[in-house]
Amino acid sequence: MSYPIAQFEELALSPLLLQTLKEIGYESPSPIQAACIPHLLAGHDLIGQAQTGTGKTAAFALPLLERLDLTNHQPQVLVLTPTRELAIQVAEAFQSYARHLPGFHVLPIYGGQSMTIQLRHLQRGAHVVVGTPGRVMDHLRRETLVLDGLRSIVLDEADEMLRMGFIDDVEWVLEQTPEDIQI
């Protein structure tokens, strides 16, 4: 039987991430964070569901940041989102949580943004790529996004992506990922 996790320090997060959480004002993990973070840190696949505003992004972002190899500038985490607004929001959250991680780069990619800018940033390297299915597919087909070093993929708001008709796109992207990745 598990006991409730009252503090982030109980979740085996690095001092740099704990410092960020303290600066942001997070005092204790929400139920979704307490339930998800240990499983994701252990490398397990996970399906999580919680209402808006409960900290779902931190529930997956914090453990995935913890598992990054910052010396490897290939994408290690891919987050698929149904909309560009959510892609931007998730990328900003990753950037905020990683503020003390030296050399960390996150890149949002979505339609309506200049492909030239995205190409330049992909060439520079990004540890985390957050994007909409269509634009991620564009980059994969052009071979400007390479997923050989991918460790984890997140389907953020997967139910919404399904409702919006992205099932075939999501399945195609999943087929392009290494077989042993965390989902």
Side-chain angles (χ1 to χ4, degrees):
M1 179 164 166
S2 64
Y3 60 93
I5 296 173
Q7 297 182 354
F8 281 103
E9 289 80 1
E10 298 174 55
L11 292 171
L13 295 172
S14 70
L16 293 176
L17 288 177
L18 291 172
Q19 177 184 352
T20 297
L21 294 174
K22 188 174 187 176
E23 291 170 2
I24 291 173
Y26 286 15
E27 295 179 7
S28 60
S30 69
I32 188 80
Q33 293 164 352
C36 292
I37 291 173
H39 291 288
L40 293 175
L41 282 172
H44 300 297
D45 290 350
L46 182 74
I47 296 174
Q49 185 176 2
Q51 292 190 353
T52 301
T54 57
K56 290 186 299 289
T57 303
F60 65 78
L62 293 169
L64 296 179
L65 285 169
E66 189 68 47
R67 298 183 70 222
L68 288 179
D69 174 1
L70 293 173
T71 64
N72 176 358
H73 294 282
Q74 287 184 309
Q76 297 168 53
V77 175
L78 174 63
V79 182
L80 290 180
T81 66
T83 65
R84 74 181 68 154
E85 293 80 14
L86 185 58
I88 293 166
Q89 179 183 337
V90 170
E92 288 173 350
F94 266 96
Q95 190 64 53
S96 176
Y97 299 140
R99 69 175 71 165
H100 295 297
L101 300 181
F104 172 78
H105 290 290
V106 60
L107 177 63
I109 57 174
Y110 49 87
Q113 181 189 45
S114 165
M115 187 64 94
T116 306
I117 291 171
Q118 291 176 8
L119 291 171
R120 191 172 337 120
H121 286 285
L122 282 168
Q123 289 171 347
R124 183 180 71 188
H127 299 100
V128 176
V129 174
V130 183
T132 56
R135 187 50 66 103
V136 168
M137 290 172 64
D138 286 348
H139 281 289
L140 288 171
R141 286 187 177 118
R142 294 170 185 241
E143 298 181 2
T144 53
L145 174 60
V146 178
L147 301 180
D148 295 346
L150 200 68
R151 294 176 169 185
S152 303
I153 186 167
V154 176
L155 307 177
D156 197 6
E157 294 194 12
D159 57 338
E160 188 64 24
M161 282 193 280
L162 296 177
R163 263 195 292 284
M164 294 172 73
F166 291 135
I167 183 69
D168 293 336
D169 296 349
V170 170
E171 287 178 348
W172 188 86
V173 170
L174 286 170
E175 290 170 3
Q176 311 311 307
T177 63
E179 289 194 21
D180 60 346
I181 63 164
Q182 177 181 31
I183 302 174

